[in-house]
């Protein structure tokens, strides 16, 4: 008998449904992570199916162990999987330690780029985070050349805190303080 997966809340925006990942999302997830346009600023190289599977399993682990994690992003009109986003604790080995700081991240499939979906989805997840991490600062890391993600972060209340390196690559750390902090 399989254990019951952690309950992932469903969030909805005008055009998007954010929901827990399902096993049948894996093919779409793996295809997205294998796309060089998607990974250009996230690690710099497409992921193999094995690497995507490891990432996919981490999503379930976060919800089960931490009570937060990543959502699958579904376009309401089509029902298509178009990306994923959420909070994680990756315990990164980075100059400004992020351990214990919920780290937001997002990734969209190439066909969903340029439609404002990232900002729409991040705003919904930030609102969820404000309700669930009321006194916590949240953070994100972004490659300095990833202008689109920098704009999303800024639109959603994140500000650049530090320039550093992560895994030998220049990286920007953005933070957002909890409302009222």
């Amino acid at each position: 008998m399989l254990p019951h997966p952690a309950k992932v809340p469903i969030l909805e925006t005008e055009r998007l449904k954010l929901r827990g990942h399902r096993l049948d999302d894996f093919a779409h997830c793996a295809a997205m992570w294998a796309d060089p346009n998607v990974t250009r600023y996230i690690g710099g190289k497409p992921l193999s199916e094995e690497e995507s599977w490891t990432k996919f399993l981490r999503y379930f682990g976060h919800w089960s162990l931490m009570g937060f994690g990543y959502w699958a992003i579904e376009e309401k009109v089509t029902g298509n999987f178009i990306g994923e986003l959420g909070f994680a604790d990756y315990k990164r080995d980075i100059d400004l330690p992020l351990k214990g700081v919920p780290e937001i991240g997002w990734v969209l499939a190439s066909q969903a780029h340029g439609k404002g979906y990232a900002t729409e989805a991040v705003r919904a997840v930030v609102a969820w985070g404000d309700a669930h991490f009321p006194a916590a600062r949240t953070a994100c890391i972004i490659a300095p050349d990833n202008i689109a993600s920098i704009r999303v972060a800024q639109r959603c209340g994140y500000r650049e805190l530090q320039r550093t390196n992560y895994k030998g690559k220049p990286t920007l750390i953005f933070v957002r303080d909890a409302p009222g902090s």
Side-chain angles (χ1 to χ4, degrees):
M1 184 164 137
L2 293 173
H4 293 289
K7 182 80 170 141
V8 179
I10 294 173
L11 306 179
E12 293 197 34
T13 69
E14 182 182 338
R15 301 178 295 163
L16 306 172
K17 180 178 181 180
L18 312 179
R19 57 164 176 77
H21 286 80
R22 301 184 300 239
L23 190 54
D24 63 352
D25 290 325
F26 179 66
H28 303 292
C29 178
M32 178 180 68
W33 285 106
D35 181 346
N37 290 324
V38 169
T39 60
R40 176 176 38 170
Y41 301 118
I42 309 172
K45 68 174 187 64
L47 300 185
S48 68
E49 185 176 55
E50 178 182 353
E51 291 166 323
S52 292
W53 181 246
T54 300
K55 184 177 285 290
F56 193 73
L57 292 175
R58 284 191 338 195
Y59 301 147
F60 293 91
H62 264 89
W63 282 108
S64 294
L65 296 174
M66 306 297 293
F68 59 86
Y70 270 58
W71 286 264
I73 306 170
E74 188 177 284
E75 196 175 38
K76 279 184 176 179
V77 172
T78 64
N80 291 340
F81 173 98
I82 60 164
E84 44 206 22
L85 84 157
F87 291 104
D89 180 356
Y90 291 124
K91 306 208 181 300
R92 294 185 195 273
D93 183 15
I94 195 166
D95 289 341
L96 179 68
L98 296 175
K99 291 179 183 171
V101 176
E103 182 183 332
I104 193 168
W106 56 90
V107 60
L108 277 85
S110 289
Q111 71 270 18
H113 291 182
K115 298 180 179 181
Y117 287 155
T119 300
E120 186 175 329
V122 170
R123 282 185 175 143
V125 169
V126 164
W128 182 91
D130 286 347
H132 290 81
F133 314 126
R137 166 181 275 189
T138 59
C140 60
I141 67 170
I142 303 174
D145 294 339
N146 191 345
I147 303 305
S149 280
I150 290 169
R151 287 185 183 137
V152 169
Q154 291 171 334
R155 284 186 200 118
C156 295
Y158 287 85
R159 63 180 169 77
E160 185 180 328
L161 178 68
Q162 182 175 331
R163 292 174 180 258
T164 188
N165 285 302
Y166 179 63
K167 294 188 176 181
K169 295 183 180 182
T171 301
L172 305 175
I173 298 176
F174 285 78
V175 295
R176 182 179 178 278
D177 293 315
S181 302

